[in-house]
Amino acid sequence: MDENHYLTVKAENIKENDCWEKLKSYTDARIALGRTGCSILTNDYLAFSLAHAKARDSIKMPFDRDRIGKELHAMGLKTINVESSAVNREIYLCRPDFGRRLSERSKLLLDELNYQGADVLLVIGDGLSSKAVHKQAVPFIRQFLPYMDELGMTVGPVVLAKESRVALGDDIAERMHCGLVATLIGERPGLSSPDSLGVYMTYKPYCGRMESERNCISNIRPEGLSYGKAAFKLAWLIENAYNMKKSGTALKDQSDDIQHYLTLKPHIKDTDILNIV
């Protein structure tokens, strides 16, 4: 090019192509945050602070068992209240082992109840997010129970467990002589999901079961795994656990594959589960 000829480009004619913008639409994760100097933008900082506060609130929010009990009673379900050995939230957070064992009072309550057993026991525990349990547990159970009717399985009274860890369900179910337990519990809050419900299923539960002997269904909430799809997954796992006499790593979740259906099929109204052709 001749040194007397120049190429002029005006800034207003430059169109930036930010490849991250499209990726950001697929996730709530904090990616491609802007910055000013060595600091993040004020709006991003405030959004992070709000999400952190929501996560802390979820952990510390008291478990409103009366509210959940009333909703379950309106569905015709009976409930039982128990507590773990963690006498308050501070001990619960510092001593996870206390949350895995029933209090002496609750042991005595269940022993005196002398419940003669059911095929399936549902335990609702506050876990690390009472907010998740308050929002997701009852809608999930409402979707789940019709599948148990189809299988002809008995469902025991719903146990509401305060200061509960997952393993507490094994102790409860063993004392109530139930063949299988599904523990609905608030998951550890994330900065984009402070209200996520998890379900842990154990076949032939007893105190001391290993974590590898459970099946987990995670992220149950409208923004994650829908109630309908999660309910079918649990029902499928229960049917196959009784058929195979095992749970955990020995039972692979194949509920999305029609070739592995036994009796149950997704309800047609649960259109978010599967496109049946």
Side-chain angles (χ1 to χ4, degrees), residues 98-219:
F98 282 14
R100 301 186 185 106
R101 303 198 304 264
L102 283 166
S103 67
E104 293 302 320
R105 174 182 171 278
S106 295
K107 290 179 183 178
L108 182 61
L109 171 68
L110 294 180
D111 290 344
E112 290 180 345
L113 181 64
N114 195 28
Y115 187 71
Q116 295 304 304
D119 296 321
V120 177
L121 182 70
L122 297 178
V123 175
I124 299 178
D126 45 3
L128 289 168
S129 176
S130 295
K131 181 184 293 185
V133 176
H134 296 160
K135 292 179 63 176
Q136 326 298 359
V138 173
F140 169 81
I141 290 174
R142 188 175 288 112
Q143 296 270 356
F144 168 72
L145 290 178
Y147 288 114
M148 296 298 96
D149 291 337
E150 288 184 35
L151 291 175
M153 288 188 173
T154 56
V155 179
V158 180
V159 180
L160 305 177
K162 188 176 181 181
E163 309 297 2
S164 171
R165 300 282 178 173
V166 172
L168 191 69
D170 295 339
D171 196 358
I172 295 169
E174 182 181 16
R175 291 177 181 275
M176 294 182 67
H177 309 102
C178 293
L180 181 147
V181 65
T183 301
L184 286 58
I185 197 165
E187 296 181 319
R188 179 179 288 106
L191 291 176
S192 61
S193 56
D195 57 358
S196 178
L197 182 74
V199 177
Y200 293 80
M201 185 209 76
T202 312
Y203 177 73
K204 295 297 183 185
Y206 57 83
C207 191
R209 274 287 202 183
M210 294 186 294
E211 299 300 322
S212 61
E213 296 174 307
R214 316 183 205 285
N215 291 87
C216 175
I217 304 171
S218 185
N219 196 31

Side-chain angles (χ1 to χ4, degrees), residues 18 61 85 89 94 124 130 134 164 194 257:
D18 188 351
M61 179 181 291
S85 295
R89 200 61 173 171
C94 294
I124 299 178
S130 295
H134 296 160
S164 171
D257 187 347

Side-chain angles (χ1 to χ4, degrees), residues 22-87:
K22 184 176 180 180
L23 294 176
K24 289 174 70 173
S25 67
Y26 292 106
T27 177
D28 291 329
R30 287 167 175 77
I31 62 173
L33 298 180
R35 67 178 182 179
T36 174
C38 61
S39 303
I40 65 173
L41 299 177
T42 299
N43 286 344
D44 292 331
Y45 171 76
L46 293 176
F48 176 88
S49 298
L50 177 60
H52 187 255
K54 288 181 177 179
R56 289 174 60 89
D57 286 347
S58 296
I59 292 175
K60 295 186 176 183
M61 179 181 291
F63 185 20
D64 191 349
R65 291 190 292 189
D66 291 341
R67 167 185 163 184
I68 294 180
K70 289 178 181 178
E71 294 180 19
L72 294 172
H73 295 162
M75 296 169 57
L77 297 173
K78 296 180 180 179
T79 61
I80 300 172
N81 289 350
V82 300
E83 295 82 29
S84 75
S85 295
V87 296

